[in-house]
Amino acid sequence: MKLGESLEDYLETLLILEETGKIRCVDVASRMHVSKPSVNKAMNVLKDKGYVLQESYGDIHLTDAGRDLAKSIYLRHETISGFLQDVLGVSAENADEDACHIEHVISEETFQKLMDFKNKYAK
């Protein structure tokens, strides 16, 4: 299910923040450089889709489905960023920024080919 770039970015951010412990709206807003009302709106959409659990203004928790999707998005990001850096020699900053956009639009076939190429030929 395609969520769109913004909601996928929220899931990816939640996954990263989950590793640090509690996920609070203020932490998501700070990391993504968005307002707390924007985070609340996105969390309500993700909650309706079954990807997060959150009591009213409480901590945010990824559901199993949300965590699985977030891991898939994060894998795409890391693979594409690594390809851009390791294979093409793009700077880390540009590779990360470009990967953040490419990860949302690349087809599964192209992503698999890119991952195979990177695994075969990269350092």
Side-chain angles (χ1 to χ4, degrees):
M1 169 187 276
K2 278 293 203 184
L3 291 177
E5 185 170 336
S6 178
L7 289 174
E8 287 183 356
D9 285 343
Y10 276 102
L11 282 176
E12 193 174 5
T13 298
L14 294 174
L15 180 70
I16 292 166
L17 289 173
E18 186 178 63
E19 295 175 6
T20 66
K22 288 185 176 183
I23 306 172
R24 302 174 307 152
C25 280
V26 66
D27 300 323
V28 176
S30 176
R31 183 169 181 94
M32 294 185 71
H33 308 288
V34 298
S35 69
K36 287 187 280 183
S38 293
V39 174
N40 286 326
K41 183 177 178 182
M43 291 310 106
N44 285 330
V45 172
L46 292 173
K47 187 171 22 173
D48 289 345
K49 295 187 176 295
Y51 295 126
V52 300
L53 300 171
Q54 181 185 25
E55 300 270 336
S56 183
Y57 297 100
D59 293 341
I60 303 163
H61 303 277
L62 286 166
T63 63
D64 289 341
R67 189 172 297 102
D68 289 345
L69 183 54
K71 285 180 179 179
S72 172
I73 296 163
Y74 189 68
L75 173 65
R76 283 174 171 253
H77 181 99
E78 290 296 298
T79 301
I80 294 166
S81 180
F83 176 84
L84 295 172
Q85 288 177 71
D86 300 341
V87 177
L88 301 181
V90 174
S91 70
E93 183 179 328
N94 284 334
D96 190 56
E97 179 70 26
D98 291 344
C100 195
H101 297 293
I102 296 168
E103 71 193 42
H104 304 289
V105 296
I106 192 171
S107 71
E108 185 60 29
E109 176 187 12
T110 302
F111 174 71
Q112 288 299 321
K113 297 292 186 182
L114 185 143
M115 193 163 51
D116 292 345
F117 183 91
K118 181 181 179 294
N119 290 338
K120 186 173 181 179
Y121 295 105
K123 303 173 193 175

